[in-house]
Amino acid sequence: MATADDQRRLYRVDIRVFLVAITCAMAASFILGVSLAPVPVLDDNMKSTLIHSSPANPSVRDEFFKISEEDIASVEEKHLPAGQHLLVDIEYVDEDFLNSEERLSKAMVDTVKESGLHMLSYHCHALVPSGVSCVGVLLESHISFHTWPAEGVITLDLFTCGSKPLLPAVETIERLFGIPSTKNPDQKIHTQWSHELRGFRPEEEVKKNYLADSSDLSLWVLSPLEMYSKKRVYSGRTKFQQVDIWDLVELVDTPSYEDVIKYNMTPGDPRLNSPEYSTPDRLLFLDGTIQSVYSSEHVYHEALVHPAMFAHPNPKNVVILGGGEGATLREVLKHKTIEAAIMLEIDEELIPIVREHLASMSDCSDLLGRADNCFDDKLADVKFTDGRQWFVDQYGASSSVVPQYKELDIIILDALDPEDGSEISNQLYSDESFVDALINSLSEEGILVIQIGTAASIDDPRPDFGLYKQREFLFNLIEANPTIEAMFVYEEAHCGFMEPHAFLIACKSANCRGRWYARSDQVDFQIYERIVRTHSKKRALTFFDGTTQRSYQWPKKGWETVYCRREPMPFECAYRTMDKNAGLFELDLDDEKQSSFRVSIETDEKGETVSKLFATVDIPKGSFILSEHMASSLMINSRNFEGLKGNVEAGGDNVSVISDLLAFFEEYAHESGASGSNQHYVEVGGSVLVRRSENEGEVNIARWLPPHPERKRPKFSPVYERHRMSFDLFLVASKDIDAGDEIVMARKTWVN
């Protein structure tokens, strides 16, 4: 007699055998049904339906469709091993609908038909205790879904081969399957979906396909499944490019400042943590590449326009290449000095699209003295032309045309990123004749500003390799132009893109360096003087101010790192950091034992009392001398000098203190090595005790950074810009110094 354990063991074996038998029987039934299914011959739209039952499934529905020769011919094309895949998840759907095999199968058939696809057959199972699973075989591939009626959820996937766009099917699926719940009619249908290009395609085809996984449109919109809301606002093709505009709300989005006011939210309001009450962000894509993000476009366009505008003393004629949204034009028109804002846009069809769907970008209605729409302003000269050709024709080396505008003060290149790799991008950034024409058109104080794509990273390869080699080629072209005196690169992390965005400024005059390095209060005053007022009394600039400009004055570490990967490595790159192996010798007036120097008060041959500095220890060549004291130097600019001199001239004997101060400045102040910066450093520490000499033979300390081998600093160098103060101040021993030796520096130490 079997024990209880034996009975349990036998029971488990019986269940496995039973399940295997049932599975095999179902598979055999399905195969037999498919192979013996009747084929309708009376009408192309007729279908054959088989409904049967099984122990595991109370209802199974099979349907088979006849496809006409015409339908087959309509989809005949070279099918690559690739396709489009659409995943759709819908929640808060009516429970009865999700449990109805008949209604669901009809929705599936209608989806296929309305999407221009062709159903061959489908197989559905009504499950226990609830739910339905269906799979449909298409001439193009397949469609399938599963439902959870109690939870109000359906998940669906649709895969097709061929080139027919699959994106329009999203709205069809949501309409046919997103049936609102009758039990909870106030609950809105919520849909999440993802679109992917699958399989393998020729590389050239992938580059041209704006839906490719490598495109911004796919990365930002199409591919992410877990997005709270994404709605297509516009999609169409102009003569020149594909234009797509989307509204997005991410799952992590929360209400903005304006949303809180709009919905009258108060502290503790649960809506503060819900994306449902977050205003959608509107994104513009051209040929699949992100151009503008509504919520942060002011940051991008202000960062692009105003640093260059304020680096110029009086910009009147400004040219914008690209900028079809109108936002760059809007920022230019905020300046009182403008006499002509010339916009060169090749795609005339783009303008009405953005005026309708991105109206705020070209809205000048709040600016005093400007038209309601920036495109209509009397100062705006909008030309629908190829900007590259326009410049070459008017300002090229071989041009015989008298240009409409003799000289241009600012040129703003707001086109594709250099790393875009498209034909247009290649023409813009690698055409020497075009770049030379741009620079030739500039006035003596003229400035060229270019958005140059994603900011450099310390992980990037040498600049003439890889993704950003086009940008390096552009830099080289501008550096090689003999009329360019200064170049600055800066970046802004809040443009709305996934990585910080970068910009390049090139100046024909070194004087722009002084305005570029202006103090924040000076820039704020310029904003007050030069920016137009508004009807609303609000500030015309949303983001840019003097402190923002201050943050642009030092290139980030990535630019220096990549620059120093140039071959051969630039001279100044060897001085990016102080040598840790070099000694540091300081003067300590409070502790003689800690001090490396002593002060001696002596009387010179003229009978005047002078101070001298002597070493108390041996100092090896290359050691840093008085670095702490030099770092405490006072920084002033040329305007400070001129102001003090003016006070002396106006005040006579009443300003003798200022006269003495100026005399001290004359002896101990030196100009920055950064040409045009107008900055001076006044030594106020122990270095004023060091004797200056004309006799090079007795000099034993020198500036840390030697003069550049080419006798002039390069036009573009993130190293010089980042370390300009260190290069202007630090001293080193130029020879071995013995204890007891006097410290002597050349009178021309700081002469550039």
Side-chain angles (χ1 to χ4, degrees), residues 468-525:
Y468 303 106
K469 61 182 179 181
Q470 195 81 280
R471 181 163 67 194
E472 175 70 359
F473 190 82
L474 171 67
F475 281 25
N476 295 158
L477 287 179
I478 298 175
E479 289 173 81
N481 191 291
T483 64
I484 291 296
E485 291 292 331
M487 293 169 62
F488 309 101
V489 66
Y490 64 102
E491 61 188 64
E492 177 53 63
H494 301 91
C495 294
F497 306 124
M498 292 186 177
E499 297 182 86
H501 214 72
F503 308 87
L504 172 71
I505 278 181
C507 305
K508 288 192 77 172
S509 169
N511 292 331
C512 86
R513 183 175 267 113
R515 290 181 287 273
W516 179 257
Y517 290 136
R519 299 194 313 267
S520 59
D521 59 313
Q522 293 173 321
V523 176
D524 285 336
F525 180 70

Short mmCIF file of all heavy atoms in Angstrom, two decimals, residues 468-525:
data_model
loop_
_atom_site.label_atom_id
_atom_site.label_comp_id
_atom_site.label_asym_id
_atom_site.label_seq_id
_atom_site.Cartn_x
_atom_site.Cartn_y
_atom_site.Cartn_z
N TYR A 468 34.39 64.96 -33.47
CA TYR A 468 34.48 66.42 -33.50
C TYR A 468 35.62 66.94 -34.39
O TYR A 468 36.05 68.09 -34.24
CB TYR A 468 34.66 66.95 -32.07
CG TYR A 468 33.54 66.51 -31.16
CD1 TYR A 468 33.74 65.53 -30.20
CD2 TYR A 468 32.26 67.07 -31.27
CE1 TYR A 468 32.70 65.11 -29.38
CE2 TYR A 468 31.22 66.66 -30.45
CZ TYR A 468 31.45 65.68 -29.51
OH TYR A 468 30.42 65.27 -28.69
N LYS A 469 36.07 66.12 -35.31
CA LYS A 469 37.17 66.55 -36.18
C LYS A 469 36.76 67.73 -37.07
O LYS A 469 37.59 68.58 -37.40
CB LYS A 469 37.67 65.39 -37.02
CG LYS A 469 36.63 64.79 -37.96
CD LYS A 469 37.21 63.60 -38.73
CE LYS A 469 36.17 62.97 -39.65
NZ LYS A 469 36.72 61.79 -40.37
N GLN A 470 35.46 67.80 -37.43
CA GLN A 470 34.98 68.92 -38.24
C GLN A 470 35.12 70.23 -37.48
O GLN A 470 35.46 71.27 -38.06
CB GLN A 470 33.50 68.68 -38.61
CG GLN A 470 32.99 69.56 -39.73
CD GLN A 470 33.40 69.02 -41.08
OE1 GLN A 470 34.52 69.21 -41.53
NE2 GLN A 470 32.50 68.34 -41.74
N ARG A 471 34.86 70.17 -36.19
CA ARG A 471 34.99 71.38 -35.37
C ARG A 471 36.45 71.83 -35.29
O ARG A 471 36.74 73.02 -35.38
CB ARG A 471 34.44 71.09 -33.96
CG ARG A 471 34.50 72.27 -33.02
CD ARG A 471 33.60 72.04 -31.82
NE ARG A 471 34.04 70.96 -30.96
CZ ARG A 471 33.27 70.41 -30.01
NH1 ARG A 471 32.03 70.82 -29.85
NH2 ARG A 471 33.74 69.43 -29.24
N GLU A 472 37.35 70.89 -35.14
CA GLU A 472 38.77 71.23 -35.08
C GLU A 472 39.23 71.84 -36.40
O GLU A 472 40.03 72.79 -36.41
CB GLU A 472 39.59 69.97 -34.76
CG GLU A 472 41.09 70.17 -34.80
CD GLU A 472 41.63 71.01 -33.68
OE1 GLU A 472 40.82 71.49 -32.83
OE2 GLU A 472 42.86 71.23 -33.63
N PHE A 473 38.70 71.32 -37.51
CA PHE A 473 39.06 71.87 -38.82
C PHE A 473 38.59 73.33 -38.93
O PHE A 473 39.31 74.19 -39.43
CB PHE A 473 38.43 71.03 -39.93
CG PHE A 473 38.92 71.37 -41.31
CD1 PHE A 473 40.12 70.86 -41.79
CD2 PHE A 473 38.19 72.21 -42.13
CE1 PHE A 473 40.58 71.19 -43.06
CE2 PHE A 473 38.64 72.55 -43.40
CZ PHE A 473 39.84 72.02 -43.87
N LEU A 474 37.39 73.59 -38.41
CA LEU A 474 36.88 74.96 -38.40
C LEU A 474 37.77 75.86 -37.55
O LEU A 474 38.12 76.98 -37.97
CB LEU A 474 35.45 74.96 -37.86
CG LEU A 474 34.83 76.34 -37.57
CD1 LEU A 474 34.63 77.10 -38.87
CD2 LEU A 474 33.51 76.19 -36.82
N PHE A 475 38.16 75.39 -36.37
CA PHE A 475 39.04 76.17 -35.50
C PHE A 475 40.34 76.51 -36.25
O PHE A 475 40.82 77.65 -36.19
CB PHE A 475 39.37 75.39 -34.24
CG PHE A 475 38.29 75.42 -33.18
CD1 PHE A 475 36.97 75.63 -33.52
CD2 PHE A 475 38.59 75.21 -31.85
CE1 PHE A 475 35.97 75.63 -32.55
CE2 PHE A 475 37.62 75.22 -30.87
CZ PHE A 475 36.30 75.43 -31.23
N ASN A 476 40.90 75.51 -36.91
CA ASN A 476 42.16 75.72 -37.63
C ASN A 476 42.01 76.77 -38.73
O ASN A 476 42.92 77.59 -38.94
CB ASN A 476 42.65 74.41 -38.23
CG ASN A 476 43.02 73.37 -37.19
OD1 ASN A 476 43.05 72.17 -37.47
ND2 ASN A 476 43.29 73.80 -35.96
N LEU A 477 40.88 76.75 -39.44
CA LEU A 477 40.64 77.73 -40.50
C LEU A 477 40.60 79.15 -39.93
O LEU A 477 41.18 80.08 -40.50
CB LEU A 477 39.32 77.43 -41.22
CG LEU A 477 39.29 76.23 -42.17
CD1 LEU A 477 37.89 76.07 -42.76
CD2 LEU A 477 40.31 76.40 -43.28
N ILE A 478 39.92 79.30 -38.80
CA ILE A 478 39.80 80.64 -38.20
C ILE A 478 41.14 81.08 -37.62
O ILE A 478 41.55 82.24 -37.77
CB ILE A 478 38.71 80.64 -37.12
CG1 ILE A 478 37.34 80.30 -37.75
CG2 ILE A 478 38.63 81.99 -36.43
CD1 ILE A 478 36.21 80.17 -36.76
N GLU A 479 41.86 80.17 -36.98
CA GLU A 479 43.17 80.51 -36.43
C GLU A 479 44.14 80.94 -37.52
O GLU A 479 45.00 81.80 -37.30
CB GLU A 479 43.74 79.31 -35.68
CG GLU A 479 43.04 78.97 -34.37
CD GLU A 479 43.56 77.67 -33.78
OE1 GLU A 479 44.62 77.70 -33.12
OE2 GLU A 479 42.90 76.62 -33.97
N ALA A 480 44.00 80.34 -38.70
CA ALA A 480 44.93 80.63 -39.79
C ALA A 480 44.65 81.97 -40.46
O ALA A 480 45.51 82.50 -41.18
CB ALA A 480 44.85 79.51 -40.84
N ASN A 481 43.47 82.54 -40.22
CA ASN A 481 43.15 83.82 -40.85
C ASN A 481 43.94 84.93 -40.17
O ASN A 481 43.82 85.14 -38.96
CB ASN A 481 41.65 84.09 -40.75
CG ASN A 481 41.23 85.27 -41.61
OD1 ASN A 481 41.58 86.40 -41.33
ND2 ASN A 481 40.48 84.99 -42.66
N PRO A 482 44.74 85.68 -40.92
CA PRO A 482 45.64 86.68 -40.31
C PRO A 482 44.92 87.85 -39.66
O PRO A 482 45.54 88.57 -38.85
CB PRO A 482 46.50 87.14 -41.49
CG PRO A 482 45.67 86.86 -42.71
CD PRO A 482 44.89 85.63 -42.39
N THR A 483 43.65 88.07 -39.98
CA THR A 483 42.95 89.23 -39.42
C THR A 483 42.25 88.94 -38.10
O THR A 483 41.75 89.85 -37.46
CB THR A 483 41.91 89.77 -40.42
OG1 THR A 483 40.89 88.78 -40.64
CG2 THR A 483 42.56 90.11 -41.75
N ILE A 484 42.22 87.69 -37.68
CA ILE A 484 41.61 87.34 -36.40
C ILE A 484 42.65 87.50 -35.29
O ILE A 484 43.77 87.01 -35.39
CB ILE A 484 41.07 85.90 -36.42
CG1 ILE A 484 39.87 85.79 -37.35
CG2 ILE A 484 40.68 85.43 -35.02
CD1 ILE A 484 38.66 86.61 -36.92
N GLU A 485 42.27 88.20 -34.22
CA GLU A 485 43.21 88.49 -33.14
C GLU A 485 42.94 87.70 -31.87
O GLU A 485 43.84 87.49 -31.06
CB GLU A 485 43.17 89.99 -32.81
CG GLU A 485 43.76 90.87 -33.90
CD GLU A 485 45.26 90.68 -34.04
OE1 GLU A 485 45.91 90.33 -33.04
OE2 GLU A 485 45.78 90.87 -35.16
N ALA A 486 41.69 87.28 -31.66
CA ALA A 486 41.38 86.58 -30.40
C ALA A 486 40.21 85.62 -30.62
O ALA A 486 39.29 85.91 -31.41
CB ALA A 486 41.03 87.58 -29.30
N MET A 487 40.27 84.49 -29.93
CA MET A 487 39.20 83.50 -30.01
C MET A 487 38.89 82.99 -28.60
O MET A 487 39.80 82.75 -27.80
CB MET A 487 39.63 82.32 -30.89
CG MET A 487 39.81 82.66 -32.36
SD MET A 487 40.60 81.32 -33.30
CE MET A 487 39.39 80.00 -33.12
N PHE A 488 37.61 82.84 -28.32
CA PHE A 488 37.17 82.36 -27.01
C PHE A 488 36.14 81.25 -27.19
O PHE A 488 35.26 81.36 -28.06
CB PHE A 488 36.54 83.48 -26.18
CG PHE A 488 37.38 84.72 -26.10
CD1 PHE A 488 37.10 85.83 -26.89
CD2 PHE A 488 38.47 84.78 -25.23
CE1 PHE A 488 37.87 86.97 -26.82
CE2 PHE A 488 39.25 85.92 -25.16
CZ PHE A 488 38.95 87.02 -25.95
N VAL A 489 36.25 80.24 -26.38
CA VAL A 489 35.25 79.18 -26.39
C VAL A 489 34.58 79.16 -25.02
O VAL A 489 35.24 79.34 -23.99
CB VAL A 489 35.89 77.81 -26.73
CG1 VAL A 489 36.85 77.35 -25.66
CG2 VAL A 489 34.82 76.75 -26.97
N TYR A 490 33.28 79.01 -25.01
CA TYR A 490 32.54 78.96 -23.74
C TYR A 490 31.38 78.00 -23.90
O TYR A 490 31.03 77.59 -25.01
CB TYR A 490 32.05 80.35 -23.33
CG TYR A 490 31.05 81.01 -24.27
CD1 TYR A 490 29.69 81.03 -23.97
CD2 TYR A 490 31.47 81.62 -25.45
CE1 TYR A 490 28.78 81.65 -24.82
CE2 TYR A 490 30.57 82.23 -26.30
CZ TYR A 490 29.22 82.25 -25.98
OH TYR A 490 28.31 82.85 -26.83
N GLU A 491 30.80 77.61 -22.79
CA GLU A 491 29.70 76.64 -22.85
C GLU A 491 28.62 76.98 -21.83
O GLU A 491 28.86 77.66 -20.84
CB GLU A 491 30.23 75.23 -22.62
CG GLU A 491 30.90 74.99 -21.29
CD GLU A 491 31.56 73.63 -21.21
OE1 GLU A 491 32.52 73.36 -21.97
OE2 GLU A 491 31.10 72.82 -20.36
N GLU A 492 27.42 76.48 -22.13
CA GLU A 492 26.27 76.70 -21.25
C GLU A 492 25.58 75.36 -21.02
O GLU A 492 25.23 74.66 -21.97
CB GLU A 492 25.30 77.71 -21.90
CG GLU A 492 24.04 77.94 -21.12
CD GLU A 492 24.31 78.31 -19.67
OE1 GLU A 492 24.94 79.37 -19.42
OE2 GLU A 492 23.90 77.52 -18.78
N ALA A 493 25.41 75.00 -19.76
CA ALA A 493 24.87 73.68 -19.41
C ALA A 493 23.36 73.65 -19.32
O ALA A 493 22.78 72.58 -19.13
CB ALA A 493 25.48 73.22 -18.09
N HIS A 494 22.69 74.81 -19.44
CA HIS A 494 21.25 74.87 -19.20
C HIS A 494 20.45 75.15 -20.48
O HIS A 494 19.34 75.69 -20.41
CB HIS A 494 20.94 75.94 -18.15
CG HIS A 494 21.61 75.69 -16.84
ND1 HIS A 494 22.85 76.20 -16.53
CD2 HIS A 494 21.21 74.96 -15.77
CE1 HIS A 494 23.19 75.81 -15.32
NE2 HIS A 494 22.23 75.05 -14.83
N CYS A 495 20.99 74.76 -21.62
CA CYS A 495 20.30 74.99 -22.90
C CYS A 495 19.16 74.01 -23.14
O CYS A 495 18.41 74.15 -24.10
CB CYS A 495 21.29 74.90 -24.06
SG CYS A 495 22.55 76.20 -24.05
N GLY A 496 19.04 72.99 -22.29
CA GLY A 496 17.97 72.01 -22.46
C GLY A 496 18.41 70.76 -23.19
O GLY A 496 17.62 69.82 -23.32
N PHE A 497 19.63 70.75 -23.67
CA PHE A 497 20.15 69.57 -24.34
C PHE A 497 20.73 68.60 -23.31
O PHE A 497 20.90 68.95 -22.14
CB PHE A 497 21.20 69.96 -25.37
CG PHE A 497 20.72 70.99 -26.36
CD1 PHE A 497 21.39 72.18 -26.53
CD2 PHE A 497 19.56 70.77 -27.09
CE1 PHE A 497 20.93 73.14 -27.42
CE2 PHE A 497 19.09 71.72 -27.99
CZ PHE A 497 19.78 72.90 -28.15
N MET A 498 21.03 67.39 -23.74
CA MET A 498 21.46 66.38 -22.79
C MET A 498 22.87 66.64 -22.26
O MET A 498 23.24 66.11 -21.21
CB MET A 498 21.37 65.00 -23.43
CG MET A 498 19.94 64.57 -23.70
SD MET A 498 19.83 62.87 -24.31
CE MET A 498 18.03 62.69 -24.42
N GLU A 499 23.66 67.41 -22.97
CA GLU A 499 25.00 67.77 -22.52
C GLU A 499 25.20 69.27 -22.71
O GLU A 499 24.48 69.91 -23.48
CB GLU A 499 26.04 66.99 -23.32
CG GLU A 499 25.98 65.47 -23.13
CD GLU A 499 27.06 64.74 -23.91
OE1 GLU A 499 28.17 64.61 -23.37
OE2 GLU A 499 26.79 64.32 -25.04
N PRO A 500 26.16 69.86 -21.98
CA PRO A 500 26.42 71.30 -22.15
C PRO A 500 26.70 71.64 -23.61
O PRO A 500 27.33 70.88 -24.33
CB PRO A 500 27.66 71.53 -21.28
CG PRO A 500 27.59 70.45 -20.25
CD PRO A 500 27.00 69.26 -20.94
N HIS A 501 26.20 72.81 -24.03
CA HIS A 501 26.38 73.25 -25.40
C HIS A 501 27.48 74.30 -25.46
O HIS A 501 27.65 75.09 -24.52
CB HIS A 501 25.07 73.83 -25.95
CG HIS A 501 24.88 73.57 -27.39
ND1 HIS A 501 24.57 72.32 -27.90
CD2 HIS A 501 24.97 74.38 -28.48
CE1 HIS A 501 24.46 72.39 -29.22
NE2 HIS A 501 24.71 73.63 -29.59
N ALA A 502 28.22 74.32 -26.56
CA ALA A 502 29.40 75.18 -26.66
C ALA A 502 29.26 76.20 -27.77
O ALA A 502 28.52 76.01 -28.75
CB ALA A 502 30.64 74.32 -26.89
N PHE A 503 30.02 77.30 -27.61
CA PHE A 503 29.99 78.41 -28.56
C PHE A 503 31.42 78.92 -28.74
O PHE A 503 32.25 78.86 -27.83
CB PHE A 503 29.11 79.54 -28.03
CG PHE A 503 27.73 79.10 -27.63
CD1 PHE A 503 27.49 78.62 -26.35
CD2 PHE A 503 26.67 79.16 -28.52
CE1 PHE A 503 26.21 78.21 -25.97
CE2 PHE A 503 25.40 78.75 -28.16
CZ PHE A 503 25.17 78.27 -26.88
N LEU A 504 31.68 79.46 -29.93
CA LEU A 504 32.99 80.02 -30.24
C LEU A 504 32.83 81.47 -30.67
O LEU A 504 31.95 81.80 -31.47
CB LEU A 504 33.66 79.24 -31.37
CG LEU A 504 34.96 79.83 -31.92
CD1 LEU A 504 36.09 79.69 -30.91
CD2 LEU A 504 35.34 79.18 -33.25
N ILE A 505 33.67 82.33 -30.13
CA ILE A 505 33.72 83.73 -30.53
C ILE A 505 35.08 84.02 -31.14
O ILE A 505 36.11 83.63 -30.57
CB ILE A 505 33.45 84.66 -29.33
CG1 ILE A 505 31.93 84.78 -29.10
CG2 ILE A 505 34.05 86.03 -29.55
CD1 ILE A 505 31.56 85.69 -27.97
N ALA A 506 35.09 84.67 -32.30
CA ALA A 506 36.34 85.08 -32.96
C ALA A 506 36.27 86.58 -33.21
O ALA A 506 35.30 87.07 -33.79
CB ALA A 506 36.52 84.32 -34.27
N CYS A 507 37.30 87.31 -32.77
CA CYS A 507 37.32 88.78 -32.85
C CYS A 507 38.40 89.26 -33.81
O CYS A 507 39.53 88.76 -33.78
CB CYS A 507 37.58 89.38 -31.48
SG CYS A 507 36.45 88.84 -30.18
N LYS A 508 38.07 90.28 -34.58
CA LYS A 508 39.07 90.87 -35.47
C LYS A 508 39.96 91.84 -34.72
O LYS A 508 41.05 92.18 -35.20
CB LYS A 508 38.40 91.57 -36.65
CG LYS A 508 37.80 90.61 -37.66
CD LYS A 508 37.41 91.30 -38.95
CE LYS A 508 38.60 91.60 -39.84
NZ LYS A 508 38.20 92.08 -41.17
N SER A 509 39.53 92.31 -33.56
CA SER A 509 40.33 93.22 -32.77
C SER A 509 40.62 92.61 -31.41
O SER A 509 39.73 92.03 -30.77
CB SER A 509 39.59 94.56 -32.58
OG SER A 509 40.25 95.35 -31.60
N ALA A 510 41.85 92.75 -30.95
CA ALA A 510 42.21 92.25 -29.62
C ALA A 510 41.50 93.03 -28.53
O ALA A 510 41.40 92.56 -27.39
CB ALA A 510 43.73 92.34 -29.43
N ASN A 511 40.95 94.19 -28.87
CA ASN A 511 40.24 94.99 -27.87
C ASN A 511 39.01 94.29 -27.31
O ASN A 511 38.55 94.62 -26.22
CB ASN A 511 39.82 96.34 -28.47
CG ASN A 511 41.01 97.22 -28.78
OD1 ASN A 511 42.04 97.13 -28.12
ND2 ASN A 511 40.88 98.08 -29.78
N CYS A 512 38.48 93.33 -28.07
CA CYS A 512 37.28 92.65 -27.57
C CYS A 512 37.60 91.82 -26.33
O CYS A 512 36.71 91.48 -25.56
CB CYS A 512 36.63 91.79 -28.66
SG CYS A 512 37.28 90.13 -28.82
N ARG A 513 38.91 91.51 -26.14
CA ARG A 513 39.28 90.74 -24.95
C ARG A 513 38.97 91.53 -23.68
O ARG A 513 38.55 90.98 -22.67
CB ARG A 513 40.76 90.36 -25.01
CG ARG A 513 41.20 89.50 -23.85
CD ARG A 513 42.63 89.03 -23.96
NE ARG A 513 42.70 87.72 -24.59
CZ ARG A 513 43.23 87.48 -25.76
NH1 ARG A 513 43.72 88.49 -26.47
NH2 ARG A 513 43.27 86.27 -26.26
N GLY A 514 39.19 92.83 -23.72
CA GLY A 514 38.89 93.65 -22.55
C GLY A 514 37.42 93.64 -22.22
O GLY A 514 37.03 93.58 -21.05
N ARG A 515 36.57 93.71 -23.24
CA ARG A 515 35.12 93.66 -22.99
C ARG A 515 34.66 92.25 -22.63
O ARG A 515 33.72 92.08 -21.85
CB ARG A 515 34.38 94.18 -24.23
CG ARG A 515 34.55 95.68 -24.44
CD ARG A 515 33.78 96.18 -25.65
NE ARG A 515 34.41 95.77 -26.90
CZ ARG A 515 35.38 96.44 -27.53
NH1 ARG A 515 35.84 97.57 -27.00
NH2 ARG A 515 35.89 96.01 -28.66
N TRP A 516 35.34 91.24 -23.18
CA TRP A 516 34.99 89.86 -22.85
C TRP A 516 35.26 89.59 -21.36
O TRP A 516 34.51 88.89 -20.70
CB TRP A 516 35.80 88.91 -23.72
CG TRP A 516 35.53 87.45 -23.44
CD1 TRP A 516 36.31 86.59 -22.75
CD2 TRP A 516 34.37 86.71 -23.83
NE1 TRP A 516 35.73 85.34 -22.68
CE2 TRP A 516 34.53 85.40 -23.34
CE3 TRP A 516 33.22 87.04 -24.53
CZ2 TRP A 516 33.58 84.41 -23.55
CZ3 TRP A 516 32.27 86.05 -24.74
CH2 TRP A 516 32.45 84.75 -24.25
N TYR A 517 36.35 90.16 -20.84
CA TYR A 517 36.72 89.95 -19.45
C TYR A 517 36.16 91.03 -18.52
O TYR A 517 36.63 91.19 -17.40
CB TYR A 517 38.25 89.92 -19.31
CG TYR A 517 38.88 88.70 -19.91
CD1 TYR A 517 40.04 88.79 -20.68
CD2 TYR A 517 38.34 87.44 -19.70
CE1 TYR A 517 40.63 87.66 -21.24
CE2 TYR A 517 38.92 86.31 -20.25
CZ TYR A 517 40.06 86.43 -21.01
OH TYR A 517 40.63 85.31 -21.55
N ALA A 518 35.16 91.75 -18.98
CA ALA A 518 34.58 92.81 -18.16
C ALA A 518 34.01 92.24 -16.86
O ALA A 518 33.55 91.10 -16.81
CB ALA A 518 33.47 93.53 -18.93
N ARG A 519 34.06 93.06 -15.82
CA ARG A 519 33.49 92.64 -14.53
C ARG A 519 31.98 92.52 -14.66
O ARG A 519 31.36 93.13 -15.54
CB ARG A 519 33.84 93.64 -13.44
CG ARG A 519 35.32 93.79 -13.17
CD ARG A 519 35.52 94.53 -11.84
NE ARG A 519 34.67 95.71 -11.74
CZ ARG A 519 35.03 96.94 -12.09
NH1 ARG A 519 36.25 97.16 -12.57
NH2 ARG A 519 34.21 97.96 -11.96
N SER A 520 31.38 91.77 -13.77
CA SER A 520 29.93 91.54 -13.85
C SER A 520 29.15 92.85 -13.72
O SER A 520 28.13 93.04 -14.40
CB SER A 520 29.50 90.55 -12.77
OG SER A 520 29.83 91.03 -11.48
N ASP A 521 29.62 93.78 -12.88
CA ASP A 521 28.90 95.05 -12.73
C ASP A 521 28.99 95.88 -14.01
O ASP A 521 28.03 96.59 -14.36
CB ASP A 521 29.43 95.83 -11.53
CG ASP A 521 30.92 96.13 -11.65
OD1 ASP A 521 31.70 95.21 -11.97
OD2 ASP A 521 31.31 97.30 -11.43
N GLN A 522 30.12 95.78 -14.71
CA GLN A 522 30.25 96.51 -15.97
C GLN A 522 29.29 95.97 -17.02
O GLN A 522 28.66 96.74 -17.76
CB GLN A 522 31.69 96.41 -16.48
CG GLN A 522 32.71 97.12 -15.60
CD GLN A 522 34.13 96.86 -16.05
OE1 GLN A 522 34.47 95.74 -16.44
NE2 GLN A 522 34.99 97.87 -15.97
N VAL A 523 29.16 94.65 -17.08
CA VAL A 523 28.22 94.04 -18.04
C VAL A 523 26.79 94.39 -17.67
O VAL A 523 25.97 94.72 -18.54
CB VAL A 523 28.41 92.51 -18.09
CG1 VAL A 523 27.37 91.87 -19.01
CG2 VAL A 523 29.82 92.16 -18.54
N ASP A 524 26.48 94.37 -16.38
CA ASP A 524 25.12 94.72 -15.95
C ASP A 524 24.78 96.16 -16.35
O ASP A 524 23.64 96.45 -16.75
CB ASP A 524 24.98 94.55 -14.44
CG ASP A 524 24.88 93.09 -14.02
OD1 ASP A 524 24.47 92.26 -14.87
OD2 ASP A 524 25.20 92.77 -12.87
N PHE A 525 25.76 97.06 -16.24
CA PHE A 525 25.51 98.44 -16.64
C PHE A 525 25.29 98.54 -18.15
O PHE A 525 24.43 99.30 -18.62
CB PHE A 525 26.68 99.33 -16.21
CG PHE A 525 26.50 100.77 -16.59
CD1 PHE A 525 25.55 101.55 -15.95
CD2 PHE A 525 27.24 101.34 -17.62
CE1 PHE A 525 25.36 102.88 -16.31
CE2 PHE A 525 27.06 102.67 -17.99
CZ PHE A 525 26.11 103.43 -17.33
#
